[in-house]
Amino acid sequence: MAGTEPNSYPRPDFTRPSQPWTSLNGPWTFLFDDTDIGLSHLWHKTGLPPSVTVQSPLDADDERSHADTITQKIAALPDNLIKNNVFAKSAGSRTHERGEIEVPFVFQVPASGVGDGGAHEVLWYERKIKDLRTAKQKKAGERLLLRFGAVDYHASVYIDGQFVGAHRGGHVPFDIDISDAVRGDGEARLTLRVKDSPCDLTQPRGKQYWAPKPESIFYTPSSGVWQSVWMEVVPAARIADSSSGTVLRGDDVEGGKLGVRIAVLGRRAGGERLSVEVEVRLEGVLVAKTERKELSREKDNISFDIDMRLPPEKEISSIKLENGLALWSPDTPSLYDITIRLYSPTTSTLLDEVQTTTGMRSLNWMSGNGTFLLNNRPLFQKLVLDQGYWPETGMTPPSPVSLKADIELAKAMGFNGCRKHQKVEDPVFLYWADRLGYLVWGEMANAYQFDQDYVERFDQEWMEAVKRDINHPCVITWTPVNESWGYPDLKGDVEQRNHIRSLYHMTKTLDPTRSINDNCGWEHVCTDLSTFHDYSDAPELTTTCATLDGILSTKAGRDVFCAPSAKDTGAKHVSGAPILCTEFGGVNIAVSKTESAAEGEEEENRDWGYTTASDPKDLLKRVEGLVMGVVKGGHCCGFVYTQLADIEQEVNGLYTFDRKPKLDVEAVRKIMEGAEKLYLESLEGK
């Protein structure tokens, strides 16, 4: 995980090299609180007790009914889920001992040192911390921030028993200013209480299952801290990151302008005078340096454009320029280095300096001929479904290298990007995607019941996810919803349709530069792209993709677009809009009965795929038939193959769970190159 290695800052896309920080990853004291007595017993004030006795665990029958109800409502699942998959009932009381957990790994996975698969709704973490600030920094008013990459689901934070802040949302970052809570030079006690319901289906959870043993396309749940935790010192008045409003918009490749919106945090009331300056470099060569621009009295942000075109006399031999620009693409992932400085114009004092990057690239999904354009050229999207799980660590990558390695594994097979599925991935992943030239579809983890609680929870977390990643050129499409998960009655419920419409328009307002795939797979309500899912074998898939009528026909019992109703106008495919098959494949290799399957359990439930190949040679043949079947019809401008790697019992990846190839890597690359060639040739006649 980012931050567990020396000098590995967890947000490498937005750094303050001159400011001190320290990782809080590593051992924390840890205790389950199954009966939720910690607050009333003042654990946050007195420290975690040596043990706690549990009298009334979750009821197993209730858990089973929750699972049964929701799996019946989700399309495209196997009919025969494992029976009796329930949280075990306790025989009377039991005692949890205070122990140790390795942050940022969740208690359910072996890497945490806990490895407990039970239902535990309330968790407590504790450790000692010290103020990083020097006496000079304290005198200057610099602040101490406590940062969390992601904590699933509701986190409350205390310093020496004092409440300092809270956050709801399991997939997005938050920070808390603890400057005034950490006093003196001694140690302070940091306490974290986390509530993560295993059965609340209005809570966004993605692929995390709501029963103890993962089954079908759902995996081990992930409760508590699962991304890096760290502290850092920042100036009182400072440059905000993208989550708080700093946006770099590099889509104007014709005009050569970077649209900049710099937001500032910590400005004193009364309109403290502040000015910003931006410096742009390409391969170390100065491209632009703005004059210092003063913020107005009434706004804590300022917007302006920067000319990103490199003058001819500064030509860089290693970079191909177009209109004086180094354009970002999978083939040429050129990045500009951006330094943003904050000054006090009264004293000309440098208050803050951050370093980040940006890419100049344009996206166009409205050409009207079914193409998706990158930098005004047709882009064939050869994407792979990437769900971001690992054998010993679950949703948390074992190291920053693991995130980079997954991109390299996908590119080795000829994919030029991924649909990051049902997960807001660690920022280090996007850092490497920017640098390696890897397209990313950003997606949210869905919930499975629709009500007002879900709406409020999802709106908040989705907006936070988009803001976090908005400055990465690798991100080219937003996908808030997958396969109507959380929307069981889009056919008849206008309220559910309206919420998906609202997600589309909220996202478009925040970011008009990227396409939006509103409800990936079927039952589109308001979308820029026409996407569909089809896990048929190659002959059937080829027939489907041969005609527009076939593509728009019912999928998994659902209409691809929501039809008009008495209370709603419905939606339909817009002629000329890009069409993509965004899930297909999912082929596993047949295995014999093994001892790994539980007694009495069918092997198909534990070594599962949508269809089955007999051996690696057959798998390669099937991959080729499926990929070419999508492309031959001439209607699809891209696809998302399921999937990059096996995950637990779902073994339909191109790589095993531990990232070993199942078939010839170069042969797969040739298939992908052939599909792209066929697509581009088909455009010549249009």
Side-chain angles (χ1 to χ4, degrees), residues 37 42-43 47 118 138 145 156 165 209 225 241 250 253 395 404 424 434 466 522 576 587 592 596 604 660 664 686:
I37 63 171
L42 305 180
W43 291 359
K138 291 179 183 178
L145 298 186
S156 301
Y209 202 32
V225 180
D241 61 18
V253 299
M395 288 176 61
K404 181 183 179 184
V424 182
D434 284 344
V466 172
W522 48 67
V587 185
S592 59
S596 64
E604 61 186 297
K660 301 293 190 299
D664 185 87
K686 292 185 178 181

Side-chain angles (χ1 to χ4, degrees), residues 328-335 401 403-409 411 415-416 428-439 474:
W328 188 96
S329 73
D331 295 327
T332 58
S334 299
L335 293 175
V401 175
L403 293 158
K404 181 183 179 184
D406 275 4
I407 296 174
E408 292 172 332
L409 291 174
K411 287 177 70 72
F415 294 101
N416 59 6
V428 176
F429 180 84
L430 298 176
Y431 172 87
W432 284 114
D434 284 344
R435 280 152 182 75
L436 297 175
Y438 194 63
L439 308 171
C474 64

Side-chain angles (χ1 to χ4, degrees), residues 373-419:
L373 304 179
L374 172 63
N375 301 330
N376 299 316
R377 297 185 182 89
L379 171 68
F380 185 65
Q381 297 187 53
K382 305 170 290 181
L383 310 182
V384 65
L385 200 73
D386 181 357
Q387 309 200 61
Y389 277 76
W390 288 265
E392 298 295 314
T393 61
M395 288 176 61
T396 306
S399 75
V401 175
S402 306
L403 293 158
K404 181 183 179 184
D406 275 4
I407 296 174
E408 292 172 332
L409 291 174
K411 287 177 70 72
M413 283 192 174
F415 294 101
N416 59 6
C418 75
R419 178 179 162 213

